[in-house]
Amino acid sequence: MATKKIFPTKSSASLTPWLGIAFIIILIDQLTKITITRTFALGEEKVITPFFNLVLAYNKGAAFSFLHDAGGWQRHLFTAIGIGAALFIIYLLKKHSGQRMFSWALTLVLGGAIGNVIDRVLYGHVVDFLDFHWDGIGHFAAFNIADAAICIGAALFIIDELRRVNK
């Protein structure tokens, strides 16, 4: 007698923890952005340490405000790129969910990409608020939790690849 599989297959079951982690990143990202936008006025700054401020900034472009003044079309382009990247990352996670470092990297990039896509869809810009600076050098571009997750994920990609090459 044939039986139906009631439980998910192994590949979809192993995808679940990674999607859960991505969801947590998205949640933290969105909660921090909501808190900042409700607490600060645009451009308002609060000094936290001699090298770190909180500041409310809007970024209509990509990393480091690339194309921020392009006229509005970039919102749709970066939204489409973010959605496309998220779909491709989910495919890769499903295919490679057993590779821990690679999956961590993918998950961090996924959570960050979706966090910023949500901003672009809801507000037309990405909310940034973390501002690091050094005397005499100036301010680093303001960023957010999603951006940090993407950067950490990219670093993990590099580490994972270097480990793979050295084997």
Side-chain angles (χ1 to χ4, degrees), residues 3-79:
T3 60
K4 282 186 171 181
K5 289 187 177 181
I6 298 173
F7 299 104
T9 63
K10 183 180 179 186
S11 64
S12 66
S14 60
L15 183 64
T16 304
W18 300 117
L19 294 178
I21 293 166
F23 176 77
I24 291 168
I25 293 165
I26 296 164
L27 185 64
I28 292 168
D29 176 63
Q30 291 300 304
L31 288 174
T32 56
K33 290 172 180 175
I34 289 167
T35 301
I36 289 296
T37 56
R38 290 187 178 181
T39 308
F40 287 71
L42 181 61
E44 184 180 352
E45 189 174 325
K46 178 174 171 86
V47 176
I48 305 297
T49 70
F51 60 87
F52 174 67
N53 302 336
L54 291 175
V55 61
L56 177 57
Y58 298 151
N59 182 359
K60 293 183 180 183
F64 304 104
S65 295
F66 175 68
L67 294 176
H68 73 282
D69 58 354
W73 59 266
Q74 72 277 22
R75 171 188 182 187
H76 305 291
L77 174 67
F78 295 135
T79 299

Side-chain angles (χ1 to χ4, degrees), residues 2 5 14 28 46 72 93 104-105 115 119 121 133 137 141 143 149-150:
K5 289 187 177 181
S14 60
I28 292 168
K46 178 174 171 86
L93 274 171
W104 268 107
D119 283 13
V121 169
H133 55 89
I137 296 175
F143 61 100
I150 291 168

